[in-house]
Amino acid sequence: VTRVVVAGAGSIGSLLAAHLARVADVTVLTRREEHARSLEEEGLHVSGRAEFTARVRATADPAALPDAELAILACKGTDLEPLAARLEGRLPGATVMTVQNGLGAEEIVAAHGGWPILSAVTFMSGTRHGDTRVEYVLDTATWVGPYRGTGEADARRVAALIKSSGLQAEGFPDLRPAQWSKLIFNATVNGVAALTALPHDFHFAQTEELSHLGHLVRDLVDEGKAVASAAGVDLHDDPWEMNVLATQRGHRHYPSMLEDVEARRPTELEQINGALVREARRLGVPVPLQTALYRLVKAREASYSE
Amino acid sequence: VNVCVVGTGAVGSLFAASLSLLGDVEVWAYDLAQEHVDAINRDGLRLSGAGEVLGRPRATSDADDLPPCEFGIVATKAMHTEAAIAATAHAFAGGCVATVQNGLGNEETIAGHVERVIRGTTFPAGRLLEPGHVQWDVKGDTTLGPYDERTPLTEVERLADACTRAGLPAHAVEDARGPQWRKVIFNASTNPIGALTGLTHGRVCERPDLRTLVSGLVDEGKSVAAAQGIELDADPEELIDHAARRDVAYDHKASMLQDVEARRQTEVDYLNGGIVRFGQEHGVPTPLNAAIWALVKGLEAAWT
């Protein structure tokens, strides 16, 4: 049996840990002692698209982790740096996989150890209902690609493992086309949702009137595509089409950035919009609208202290 | 002289109460809020704060009560202009109607119902405390000018003179677009930024990245004004920096932020939306104003 560590038990980490526990030996690394205890005692209950309770091991102490073949770092982008630091010197036999939104997660992990690294983006979504309960909402895929010391075969193997656990996954020879599609999609949809308080619904694709949001969404996507093209990335999916498709599914998804803003938590703005704006500047591509969006959400975070 | 103030929120009340003090002017106040109308007819219309006034306009919520008037002063929020002027236009068949509202497009809407229109921009401000009672926060000037050649300047001067005598200093000018666009650019470049971020005017301006965004919005507005041959009477940038001072309006929450917090429809269609529409007409691109317009419309859509 494959041994897997899932570090971070938010909605994505919980969904991965619970499903993988059906086909692998899973240990969850939590931040809070009490969270680890509840997981060990009650297991992890999944509802929604699947209905089951998974037995997992859990600890809040990195020193207590067993060595594993695969470690999935599933925390929020803003928490990755301290998590990678806690894992320094641990998990010597593991391949580490990042699933954070935006850009730069792999570099952060690489700076804390020599592990082989896989890079992943996930389109699935869930809602946490407490420490041991997670609802599986969108059963869209997780995409995996090589980053450092790994190859396409490793990516496919991990994707196959995830798939065998009941989730959707696919391995790629190069993740950047998919990663950038999602980056542009997230920078646009999450930023607009955070500022308007709109869930990702039909408004994002509406273009009949001059003031409709679809125009802005398309213009933001076009800016992102120009940056991707300057970076030499051939996008896997057109982010505008991803947007239209998602709004047609009829499920009003609340992007995490909107949930963060409403709960007055720090958002993944730097990892997503900040990363895109910095790449654009590095490559000399003007992105005035994305820059405005970035500044507005940044200021919105600053208003928490008003 | 009969004058009818259409819409007696804070600004309309300043005009209605002040003008009613003049011996040669009979003031009518038209408003849909029956409580406010009843209070005015019972106890008069009281202003406190920057000036203490007890005016006695005749108030009504029924446009059929209005006599023929030589002047109208429209002071509703911009989204109510069409309904307000459609209901009252019959009273102004032989008169001139001035707008002292925020934003762009009110003159055009009024001109769809009455012949002679006066473009106006006013700076005094206040807030309704209770029916029949308005807090007068800030004094300020009003600039009035003919909307087009159908409005004689002599009529504009008569109205300006009445306002000035009533304690609301007003100037009649040939082209009143300069002050109007200065105020619109100021409001369009700052109000929605406050509304979207939750920051007060001063905190918006002290963040260099946001201040740059504000300047980007100002520049687009100035280009649209310039394309129409409008000369701004002051630089919006200076007014924005002035207002950001601790002793001026650092802590002021833009009216649009107040609207958003109270989940009221904002005037964004007539501010950023107006700049975008006039920009399109004159071939001037306004991508930032269009983006801000869409975001605030999105906010409004989120609670409707």
Side-chain angles (χ1 to χ4, degrees):
Chain A
V1 183
T2 314
R3 272 185 304 186
V4 178
V5 165
V6 176
S11 51
I12 297 296
S14 299
L15 285 173
L16 283 166
H19 282 85
L20 285 169
R22 307 202 284 191
V23 295
D25 181 358
V26 172
T27 306
V28 179
L29 177 66
T30 63
R31 209 165 28 184
R32 287 171 295 120
E33 198 64 65
E34 157 210 348
H35 189 180
R37 236 182 351 259
S38 311
L39 286 173
E40 292 237 321
E41 282 164 16
E42 297 165 35
L44 193 44
H45 182 74
V46 177
S47 62
R49 291 187 178 267
E51 195 78 44
F52 65 95
T53 301
R55 310 302 318 178
V56 293
R57 279 193 282 177
T59 176
D61 177 11
L65 287 175
D67 198 11
E69 287 92 86
L70 175 66
I72 302 176
L73 308 194
C75 64
K76 222 174 125 179
T78 46
D79 298 329
L80 186 61
E81 171 63 40
L83 172 62
R86 287 172 76 205
L87 293 176
E88 218 166 283
R90 313 274 173 208
L91 300 167
T95 292
V96 174
M97 182 170 96
T98 57
V99 291
Q100 281 68 28
N101 285 325
L103 295 179
E106 302 87 349
E107 286 88 339
I108 290 173
V109 173
H112 287 281
W115 309 285
I117 296 175
L118 285 169
S119 158
V121 294
T122 185
F123 294 92
M124 69 175 176
S125 76
T127 308
R128 237 171 137 267
H129 300 290
D131 277 354
T132 59
R133 308 185 79 81
V134 63
E135 184 188 344
Y136 186 14
V137 179
L138 283 183
D139 64 347
T140 24
T142 299
W143 291 342
V144 186
Y147 177 73
R148 179 183 75 182
T150 50
E152 185 182 352
D154 302 298
R156 293 203 183 280
R157 198 160 44 241
V158 168
L161 177 71
I162 294 172
K163 217 169 167 186
S164 69
S165 79
L167 297 170
Q168 302 300 320
E170 206 178 331
F172 290 90
D174 178 6
L175 192 70
R176 293 205 314 159
Q179 196 168 32
W180 273 77
S181 291
K182 189 177 185 202
L183 171 72
I184 295 166
F185 174 86
N186 279 341
T188 301
V189 170
N190 291 16
V192 169
L195 288 172
T196 59
L198 281 173
H200 190 206
D201 67 7
F202 69 93
H203 292 99
F204 287 68
Q206 212 175 19
T207 55
E208 291 82 7
E209 282 176 29
L210 200 53
S211 65
H212 279 163
L213 263 184
H215 299 290
L216 173 60
V217 169
R218 188 151 52 197
D219 291 346
L220 286 163
V221 164
D222 285 344
E223 284 186 358
K225 283 158 88 169
V227 181
S229 153
V233 176
D234 191 10
L235 294 177
H236 185 276
D237 289 280
D238 185 313
W240 169 255
E241 283 167 22
M242 293 165 71
N243 165 61
V244 172
L245 272 176
T247 59
Q248 284 169 351
R249 260 195 309 249
H251 166 77
R252 304 172 82 228
H253 176 65
Y254 280 76
S256 59
M257 202 176 283
L258 170 56
E259 293 184 329
D260 287 341
V261 160
E262 292 195 333
R264 299 183 153 229
R265 285 188 300 251
T267 71
E268 290 182 319
L269 181 74
E270 282 305 329
Q271 289 75 24
I272 301 173
N273 305 68
L276 186 57
V277 168
R278 285 187 291 273
E279 278 297 289
R281 190 179 310 146
R282 186 177 71 78
L283 297 160
V285 180
V287 289
L289 298 177
Q290 184 56 247
T291 304
L293 199 67
Y294 168 71
R295 287 171 170 165
L296 287 169
V297 180
K298 191 97 189 145
R300 182 67 187 273
E301 288 189 44
S303 78
Y304 299 167
S305 60
E306 283 269 285
Chain B
V1 180
N2 284 336
V3 175
C4 175
V5 177
V6 178
T8 48
V11 168
S13 291
L14 299 183
F15 280 91
S18 301
L19 285 168
S20 75
L21 301 179
L22 298 177
D24 58 340
V25 174
E26 172 136 20
V27 177
W28 286 76
Y30 171 74
D31 200 284
L32 293 183
Q34 192 61 47
E35 267 201 308
H36 189 42
V37 164
D38 293 342
I40 293 171
N41 287 332
R42 193 179 56 238
D43 309 320
L45 179 52
R46 196 145 66 90
L47 311 180
S48 347
E52 301 291 333
V53 172
L54 179 60
R56 294 258 172 214
R58 297 170 66 174
T60 179
S61 58
D62 182 354
D64 290 341
D65 290 347
L66 298 175
C69 293
E70 279 171 74
F71 292 104
I73 298 175
V74 180
T76 64
K77 285 222 171 200
M79 53 277 208
H80 301 132
T81 308
E82 173 62 33
I85 195 64
T88 56
H90 63 85
F92 306 118
C96 295
V97 177
T99 161
V100 291
Q101 300 160 279
N102 280 330
L104 299 171
N106 294 304
E107 299 80 11
E108 287 76 3
T109 302
I110 295 169
H113 297 273
V114 301
E115 188 79 6
R116 297 188 293 175
V117 178
I118 297 173
R119 183 189 305 276
T121 298
T122 193
F123 285 91
R127 63 207 139 88
L128 197 60
L129 291 177
E130 59 190 323
H133 189 191
V134 163
Q135 167 75 25
W136 190 350
D137 287 328
V138 198
K139 289 205 171 194
D141 288 3
T142 300
T143 309
L144 301 168
Y147 169 62
D148 60 21
E149 67 294 338
R150 290 175 292 179
T151 308
L153 186 60
T154 48
E155 288 300 288
V156 180
E157 283 165 345
R158 280 180 67 205
L159 180 60
D161 173 63
C163 292
T164 303
R165 285 188 289 122
L168 294 167
H171 318 280
V173 298
E174 277 288 357
D175 185 354
R177 294 178 303 167
Q180 181 185 25
W181 276 77
R182 180 240 303 186
K183 188 177 182 191
V184 164
I185 293 172
F186 177 101
N187 285 334
S189 305
T190 57
N191 284 6
I193 304 302
L196 290 166
T197 62
L199 294 173
T200 66
H201 181 75
R203 290 207 51 197
V204 166
C205 292
E206 72 192 6
R207 294 182 62 89
D209 60 340
L210 269 196
R211 187 63 184 81
T212 306
L213 173 56
V214 168
S215 289
L217 290 161
V218 169
D219 288 345
E220 288 182 2
K222 282 179 175 174
S223 300
V224 177
Q228 299 170 82
I230 297 170
E231 270 184 52
L232 302 181
D233 61 339
D235 186 353
E237 291 281 9
E238 283 168 23
L239 302 169
I240 289 167
D241 286 335
H242 176 76
R245 285 173 28 180
R246 296 245 171 215
D247 56 335
V248 184
Y250 180 92
D251 286 320
H252 177 67
K253 275 192 177 180
S255 63
M256 199 181 287
L257 173 53
Q258 297 179 38
D259 286 341
V260 164
E261 288 180 345
R263 303 195 152 202
R264 280 190 300 256
Q265 198 191 341
T266 72
E267 291 187 305
V268 72
D269 285 341
Y270 309 92
L271 295 172
N272 306 79
I275 289 174
V276 171
R277 282 193 300 267
F278 277 89
Q280 264 196 344
E281 247 173 66
H282 294 87
V284 180
T286 54
L288 289 174
N289 275 283
I292 295 299
W293 185 21
L295 288 171
V296 176
K297 292 310 281 179
L299 257 180
E300 291 180 2
W303 69 67
T304 49

